Amino acid sequence: MSEEKEERLIIKRDGYPSPGEIVIGTVTRVMDFGAFVSLDEYENKEGMVHISEVAPGWIKDIRDHVKKGQKVVCKVLGVNPKRGHIDLSIKDVTERQKREKWQEWKNELKAFKWLEIIGEKLGLSREQLIEIGKKLIKEYDSVYEAFVECAYEGYEVLAKIVGEEFAKEMAEIARENIKPPRVKVRGYFELKSYAGDGVERIKKALMKAYDVIKKFPNIKAEIEYVGAPRYRIVLEADDYKVAEKALKSVVDTVLKTIKRLGGEGNFVREHIG
């Protein structure tokens, strides 16, 4: 029989995590007093979650909460490199931190796979890929972030780190797989018309916004009634400057239209936090 396929590429960090850092790990042993967790992101590092840090409240049996082989997201409470001790907490990790860490780790696993694809294409060994991956982590804190940088800035930003040929392959994969995040700008119109058909006039003014948006590529507009006399508008675009330019054009057009139709109005900007 042929040998089993080599395990997937995982590039681990050297050194120790920092106190306060959120990490991913695999439970290796469960004792009455706590659980030992192998850190998936760090080379040969294991931490311990004391039973009091597993879950809130009193714990009768730790095995009701953690099991061997389970993947867990932990917060690093303390590190003692001299003794090789890493104290972890599961209960101190918020739901938001957990979601974000899982997504970050999924992205990193995808990036490792992309490195494997490039390595296969260029005939590189596993050791060479690990060396390249560690260089990227040192420079960008994660392999995935290096791909993101490449998607935005082009292969040239990575050429000095991984070589031109490898950087070009990274750029190609990045363009195919990483979509730049969309940005949003928003605010609300306060529009009034005292004419008999005032509602129709306001509607006509707002509809002008969609005419303006058509002139801008890849922009999505949404207008909703908030409550008299307010109408919120949200613009979504690939680029913040384009979104701002489109919003200014929309505001000018809508306010000029409502004034021309005998009404009055103003615009209040809202900031998305």
Side-chain angles (χ1 to χ4, degrees):
M1 287 179 69
S2 60
E3 291 183 11
E4 284 187 22
K5 190 178 178 181
E6 198 171 16
E7 282 186 20
R8 69 170 300 169
L9 179 70
I10 301 287
I11 296 163
K12 299 196 175 188
R13 299 165 186 265
D14 297 321
Y16 283 81
S18 305
E21 188 176 333
I22 305 299
V23 295
I24 291 248
T26 305
V27 178
T28 53
R29 289 170 289 158
V30 181
M31 318 292 280
D32 290 339
F33 59 84
F36 289 89
V37 177
S38 174
L39 303 188
D40 291 1
E41 300 156 281
Y42 285 85
E43 197 76 61
N44 300 318
K45 296 295 182 293
E46 187 176 67
M48 202 270 282
V49 183
H50 188 268
I51 188 170
S52 62
E53 293 296 335
V54 170
W58 182 72
I59 297 173
K60 183 179 179 182
D61 187 349
I62 188 174
R63 291 165 185 83
D64 291 336
H65 299 273
V66 287
K67 291 176 173 58
K68 184 178 178 180
Q70 181 182 341
K71 292 282 183 187
V72 289
V73 178
C74 304
K75 182 177 181 179
V76 179
L77 298 179
V79 176
N80 187 332
K82 286 184 180 178
R83 294 187 174 185
H85 289 178
I86 302 170
D87 295 319
L88 305 169
S89 174
I90 293 174
K91 75 173 187 181
D92 281 0
V93 180
T94 67
E95 283 303 314
R96 181 178 176 181
Q97 287 173 326
K98 196 181 292 183
R99 283 195 307 272
E100 288 176 352
K101 187 62 187 181
W102 276 120
Q103 188 56 56
E104 182 186 304
W105 184 234
K106 283 177 185 176
N107 287 342
E108 196 70 343
L109 290 177
K110 273 194 290 189
F112 296 158
K113 183 62 184 173
W114 295 338
L115 287 187
E116 282 187 294
I117 291 168
I118 297 170
E120 234 176 83
K121 190 173 180 180
L122 300 181
L124 300 179
S125 68
R126 195 178 183 83
E127 289 69 31
Q128 286 173 304
L129 289 178
I130 289 172
E131 187 183 340
I132 287 170
K134 290 198 172 188
K135 284 180 183 177
L136 294 172
I137 287 172
K138 185 177 180 182
E139 188 71 25
Y140 293 98
D141 200 41
S142 87
V143 175
Y144 183 78
E145 284 305 315
F147 275 99
V148 171
E149 184 75 4
C150 207
Y152 281 113
E153 304 295 337
Y155 79 90
E156 293 86 356
V157 293
L158 298 180
K160 288 183 180 179
I161 302 168
V162 300
E164 189 169 315
E165 187 180 25
F166 199 95
K168 283 181 178 178
E169 294 294 338
M170 283 185 70
E172 190 176 326
I173 286 180
R175 281 195 299 270
E176 290 173 2
N177 295 279
I178 298 173
K179 292 181 180 178
R182 302 268 287 173
V183 297
K184 288 183 178 181
V185 293
R186 74 184 184 191
Y188 59 85
F189 290 102
E190 291 180 333
L191 305 178
K192 297 175 184 177
S193 175
Y194 302 104
D197 60 345
V199 174
E200 287 302 313
R201 296 187 186 202
I202 289 172
K203 186 178 177 183
K204 190 173 181 179
L206 288 171
M207 290 306 290
K208 285 288 183 182
Y210 292 107
D211 293 336
V212 173
I213 290 303
K214 288 175 185 174
K215 300 173 185 176
F216 293 87
N218 301 321
I219 283 196
K220 182 182 173 186
E222 190 178 309
I223 299 174
E224 62 177 353
Y225 174 65
V226 180
R230 292 183 174 186
Y231 302 83
R232 178 174 284 112
I233 181 167
V234 180
L235 299 186
E236 187 179 297
D238 293 329
D239 180 82
Y240 189 76
K241 287 181 181 178
V242 173
E244 285 289 346
K245 188 177 178 182
L247 182 64
K248 184 180 184 306
S249 187
V250 165
V251 170
D252 290 345
T253 301
V254 171
L255 294 183
K256 282 178 184 175
T257 303
I258 193 66
K259 189 175 180 181
R260 181 171 55 79
L261 294 172
E264 59 186 55
N266 70 293
F267 180 77
V268 179
R269 179 67 186 271
E270 287 183 301
H271 293 281
I272 298 176

